[in-house]
Amino acid sequence: MSIETQLRETLHRAAGGIGQEHPDALVRSEGMHVLARRRSRRRAAVATSGLAALLVIVAVPVGQSLREPSGGNTAAPSVPAGDIYGVPTRGSLAGSSGFVDAVRELPWTGPGTDAGAGEFPDPPAERRRVVFVGDVAGGGRWALVIGPNTTQPTGDAADPDLQTDLGALSDIA
């Protein structure tokens, strides 16, 4: 017997052991039902996705048109200017007018500096405003006093692109 004949016989025996060529009707019908359900779910998913996309495509422009006035070009809403000088003094010591007046009169110099050196702003006492004065943790007292900035830079130093301390350009110190 040749190798070719042995191979053919082995393959025929293996093919005969596999069984029927087609599955029986019950297995086939169950498989078809599963396939039909998968296809039905897939169609429903595609339809739902398409409906959601259509809803977004229609709803976004409609929603934006409802938000905007019909004029098309709209001006930005104006923000009212804050009047820091017009607000009442805040803090736990705000009711003590004597203490508030004493804080307003304090010079605006740092430790070891000359009051007339121009290093720190020192607005006139009558133009200063005490915004906050109160007791803080640890037994101290803090105050926030504002006034016109008397040390604004001039010339090239006043250029915002060259200025390293943008607070120096403010009208309020």
Side-chain angles (χ1 to χ4, degrees):
M1 194 189 264
S2 71
I3 289 191
E4 187 177 324
T5 314
Q6 285 180 347
L7 179 62
R8 282 187 186 167
E9 287 178 7
T10 305
L11 288 176
H12 281 292
R13 274 194 312 265
I18 289 178
Q20 296 179 353
E21 196 172 303
H22 298 289
D24 60 350
L26 182 61
V27 172
R28 199 172 35 223
S29 69
E30 283 297 318
M32 295 304 285
H33 286 304
V34 169
L35 182 62
R37 274 187 247 129
R38 281 185 192 158
R39 287 181 180 165
S40 177
R41 277 189 236 131
R42 189 176 302 136
R43 280 190 213 113
V46 168
T48 303
S49 300
L51 184 60
L54 180 66
L55 184 64
V56 168
I57 289 171
V58 171
V60 168
V62 169
Q64 285 180 342
S65 68
L66 293 176
R67 277 192 342 182
E68 296 174 1
S70 59
N73 292 341
T74 60
S78 63
V79 177
D83 182 17
I84 192 78
Y85 288 100
V87 297
T89 302
R90 309 257 189 222
S92 59
L93 298 171
S96 175
S97 61
F99 187 73
V100 170
D101 291 339
V103 167
R104 184 182 300 116
E105 297 292 328
L106 290 173
W108 285 21
T109 57
T113 59
D114 184 15
E119 191 175 332
F120 292 97
D122 195 13
E126 63 272 1
R127 303 219 26 223
R128 296 178 190 168
R129 172 85 175 94
V130 179
V131 178
F132 172 86
V133 62
D135 293 318
V136 293
R141 291 184 170 177
W142 283 11
L144 174 63
V145 183
I146 60 170
N149 190 356
T150 58
T151 59
Q152 286 186 328
T154 58
D156 286 340
D159 184 2
D161 293 331
L162 302 176
Q163 183 57 252
T164 58
D165 180 13
L166 295 180
L169 300 176
S170 174
D171 294 336
I172 297 176

